[in-house]
Amino acid sequence: MKRVAVIGYGGQGAWHCTQVQKSDVAELAGIYDIKETRRNAAKENGIFVYSSNEEIFADNTVDIIVVSTPNDVHEELVVNGLKSGHNVICEKPVALSVAEFDRMTAAEKESGKLLSVHQNRRWDIDYLAVKSVIESGEIGETIRVESRIHGSRGIPSDWRCEKAKGGGMILDWGVHLIDQMLMLIPEKVKRITCNVTNITNKEVDDGFRMEMLFESGKSAYVEVGTYNFIALPRFYMQSQEGSLYLNDWQEKAKVAKLTRWIEKDVTPVQNAAGITKTMAPRDELTLDSYEIEKQKSDVHNFYRNFCKACDGTEEQLIKNSQVRRVLMVMETAFKSAEAGQTIEVDI
Ligand code: NAD
């Protein structure tokens, strides 16, 4: 069993503690948080509380340090954790820039220990459903994937509202959706256009819309909204032999697979301006429509994998090269939004 200490006992730090407490590969050594209220909350939950981060760094019975603080202090804690001879798991977004992440991975190399980033949404069942359809090839090559999440409560009113702390939705949610998209379309990104919204918050983006063009011509759209009182579907995919639609995280994906291109008779639809056959519903007999069974997923496989990677018996599932690409895309998204321009890239 690996001994795990968690730095930052906020919402996500507490989640890590619970995960580790019920883990079959790890046990909880304790936590530290700079806020007394959070340290007291941990004590009330029966968790050992260190007197400082330094006390965690000095504890050589600890195998893994989890950094779960606001984004602007990740670098300092990750680097110190690695330098003190510990493996480190850092929450997403691991860094505010590629340069910051490069300093972290340089410290990783020097230390001979491992750094992993908690890109836990690779275990989300909605994403896994889309991935399974792409990988099965059942509706052919992907043409375009659209991935959206829509909330209606603005940005949480904590450090996520502050630019200096790494707030905003590109960093908070974009990091997950972009990571998923780069896994769904495993090709080089060649072009990025992004614009942001500032409806409820002027300092940081409270949403964004980003278009990506990949090397073979496949395209992707990623959108995060926090002021949407009717939500658009979570995923929509066009492929060479069909389409996929996934309305909500918890629902099954629907697939319409084209079985015959030619239809017999198309009944036109009527609207005020006239009739159309082009946009009329398709003859159902030319499609095979079905639902995808929900995927089985266990997010604790992140910990199982990282513990084995620390022992050198398994390769890390979340690779730092993949994390770096996501950071490059996010950095370009900010540049594109600021300049109001499409940016050519080779990521
Ligand atoms: P939070 O504000 O609830 O908690 C952060 C805690 O860190 C606070 O209690 C704060 O006092 C403490 N802290 C700040 N600086 C510290 C320091 N130097 N040393 C020790 N403690 C310190 O925030 P949160 O929602 O728990 O988010 C924390 C991190 O987890 C962020 O990076 C966030 O993006 C990430 N997160 C990830 C997921 C996910 O699904 N992967 C979900 C939520 C949050």
Side-chain angles (χ1 to χ4, degrees):
M1 296 286 257
K2 300 279 182 238
R3 275 173 65 73
V4 175
V6 177
I7 297 183
Y9 189 69
Q12 189 62 6
W15 182 91
H16 278 284
C17 289
T18 309
Q19 280 287 308
V20 172
Q21 281 171 322
K22 58 183 190 194
S23 173
D24 46 22
V25 292
E27 62 190 19
L28 189 61
I31 67 104
Y32 180 71
D33 195 295
I34 48 170
K35 277 191 203 143
E36 193 182 358
T37 50
R38 296 310 300 159
R39 295 198 296 272
N40 289 340
K43 273 183 206 152
E44 275 163 31
N45 291 333
I47 295 171
F48 175 76
V49 176
Y50 287 86
S51 60
S52 63
N53 289 333
E54 287 64 37
E55 199 192 350
I56 294 183
F57 298 142
D59 186 348
N60 53 23
T61 72
V62 167
D63 302 292
I64 299 170
I65 295 175
V66 175
V67 174
S68 191
T69 59
N71 303 333
D72 60 322
V73 280
H74 287 176
E75 182 185 357
E76 176 197 330
L77 296 169
V78 165
V79 169
N80 288 339
L82 290 164
K83 278 190 177 162
S84 67
H86 295 91
N87 300 295
V88 178
I89 292 170
C90 184
E91 261 307 338
K92 49 51 58 174
V94 61
L96 305 185
S97 67
V98 177
E100 206 176 273
F101 187 55
D102 286 348
R103 291 194 290 272
M104 293 174 171
T105 50
E108 182 200 27
K109 277 199 190 86
E110 243 174 71
S111 69
K113 294 289 168 182
L114 290 188
L115 166 64
S116 186
V117 182
H118 193 228
Q119 292 290 162
N120 53 327
R121 293 200 175 272
R122 286 210 199 158
W123 279 268
D124 275 359
I125 59 170
D126 50 351
Y127 153 74
L128 289 173
V130 180
K131 191 161 183 280
S132 77
V133 171
I134 292 176
E135 286 175 357
S136 71
E138 64 202 73
I139 53 171
E141 278 286 306
T142 305
I143 297 171
R144 177 176 175 80
V145 184
E146 297 184 8
S147 166
R148 291 183 178 82
I149 43 166
H150 282 166
S152 63
R153 294 179 189 84
I155 307 184
S157 57
D158 53 12
W159 54 267
R160 287 173 176 82
C161 292
E162 296 173 46
K163 197 172 177 58
K165 293 205 177 298
M169 281 295 140
I170 292 184
L171 288 169
D172 195 34
W173 269 98
V175 68
H176 286 303
L177 302 197
I178 294 164
D179 180 60
Q180 291 178 344
M181 197 56 89
L182 297 188
M183 298 300 291
L184 293 177
I185 308 183
E187 289 182 17
K188 279 199 161 184
V189 184
K190 301 301 280 184
R191 199 182 289 163
I192 293 173
T193 316
C194 181
N195 55 68
V196 299
T197 59
N198 294 93
I199 305 167
T200 58
N201 190 292
K202 301 296 166 218
E203 187 173 328
V204 294
D205 66 293
D206 53 28
F208 71 93
R209 301 185 182 98
M210 184 174 73
E211 190 69 41
M212 282 193 273
L213 180 70
F214 290 82
E215 197 161 27
S216 69
K218 294 181 174 113
S219 70
Y221 179 76
V222 176
E223 178 179 336
V224 174
T226 56
Y227 202 73
N228 299 71
F229 303 100
I230 296 174
L232 284 171
R234 172 72 188 89
F235 275 106
Y236 179 74
M237 178 165 74
Q238 264 180 301
S239 300
Q240 294 290 350
E241 295 159 39
S243 304
L244 174 146
Y245 171 94
L246 202 165
N247 190 45
D248 192 28
W249 326 74
Q250 297 304 330
E251 289 177 23
K252 290 182 181 171
K254 293 180 171 54
V255 169
K257 182 177 166 59
L258 186 68
T259 52
R260 204 172 63 226
W261 175 242
I262 308 289
E263 293 168 290
K264 272 195 194 134
D265 286 317
V266 179
T267 314
V269 284
Q270 174 87 40
N271 207 331
I275 60 166
T276 173
K277 272 192 175 187
T278 314
M279 298 303 163
R282 211 180 157 80
D283 175 355
E284 281 291 328
L285 294 173
T286 68
L287 294 174
D288 178 12
S289 300
Y290 54 93
E291 287 185 335
I292 300 294
E293 275 314 307
K294 283 191 186 173
Q295 306 292 298
K296 294 206 172 17
S297 174
D298 181 355
V299 73
H300 201 66
N301 284 336
F302 171 83
Y303 269 98
R304 293 192 185 101
N305 168 253
F306 188 63
C307 289
K308 285 191 177 152
C310 291
D311 289 337
T313 57
E314 218 170 89
E315 217 184 310
Q316 271 178 256
L317 286 174
I318 312 287
K319 299 188 193 340
N320 287 336
S321 55
Q322 298 166 338
V323 171
R324 192 174 189 277
R325 282 186 78 215
V326 175
L327 289 171
M328 287 172 83
V329 170
M330 291 199 299
E331 222 168 74
T332 312
F334 281 117
K335 278 187 199 147
S336 165
E338 210 172 298
Q341 277 175 6
T342 296
I343 300 186
E344 307 287 332
V345 289
D346 190 35
I347 297 176

